Amino acid sequence: QVQLVESGGGSVQAGGSLRLSCVASVYLYNSRCLTWFRQAPGRERERVAAIDPQSTTKYEDLVKGRFTISRDNAKNTVYLQMNALEPGDTRMYYCAASRSASCYSIPRYYSDWGQGTQVTVSS
């Protein structure tokens, strides 16, 4: 079982920035798609950004140009740099590793999940 631990969340004002980190217990970035999801209470988890083993990235339309997903293989860590944050970005953010190297938008295709880190953006 892969352990994923997120950090870097917090409370910021609109227009501010945060960088989320997700540390994996094992090296898996050459075999899995690493994805950031976010979830509001009572809602389903939605994909925010993903990065595959070839470093190809995918972003939700609402965060394009503001969020950047990246990874540091040596540290077994994937990052989500979030700039120009908006109140609508307020969510619990989770990182997840897919069941294969392919990236999907549906949560059930991800086998390993972190516990999440809260991001709150105030106006």
Side-chain angles (χ1 to χ4, degrees):
Q1 184 177 3
V2 177
Q3 302 293 323
L4 300 172
V5 180
E6 304 99 333
S7 63
S11 181
V12 299
Q13 292 184 326
S17 298
L18 288 171
R19 188 179 72 161
L20 307 184
S21 299
C22 175
V23 181
S25 61
V26 298
Y27 180 77
L28 44 67
Y29 303 110
N30 65 341
S31 61
R32 307 281 195 91
C33 174
L34 276 297
T35 300
W36 286 96
F37 287 82
R38 64 186 185 183
Q39 183 177 32
R43 299 292 187 87
E44 296 183 0
R45 294 182 184 184
E46 299 178 342
R47 187 176 68 176
V48 178
I51 184 167
D52 72 8
Q54 289 73 47
S55 296
T56 300
T57 58
K58 178 71 174 181
Y59 297 95
E60 180 187 29
D61 288 343
L62 291 174
V63 307
K64 287 182 179 178
R66 300 190 296 120
F67 291 10
T68 302
I69 188 170
S70 62
R71 67 187 181 199
D72 186 333
N73 293 351
K75 297 181 179 179
N76 291 343
T77 301
V78 61
Y79 302 97
L80 184 66
Q81 178 67 46
M82 305 185 295
N83 298 324
L85 284 163
E86 304 169 353
D89 297 320
T90 296
R91 297 285 193 280
M92 184 72 77
Y93 285 72
Y94 302 87
C95 66
S98 67
R99 299 180 186 276
S100 69
S102 298
C103 294
Y104 298 93
S105 63
I106 302 175
R108 69 178 181 178
Y109 288 100
Y110 293 80
S111 59
D112 301 286
W113 294 82
Q115 293 300 307
T117 185
Q118 178 68 39
V119 171
T120 301
V121 184
S122 61
S123 60

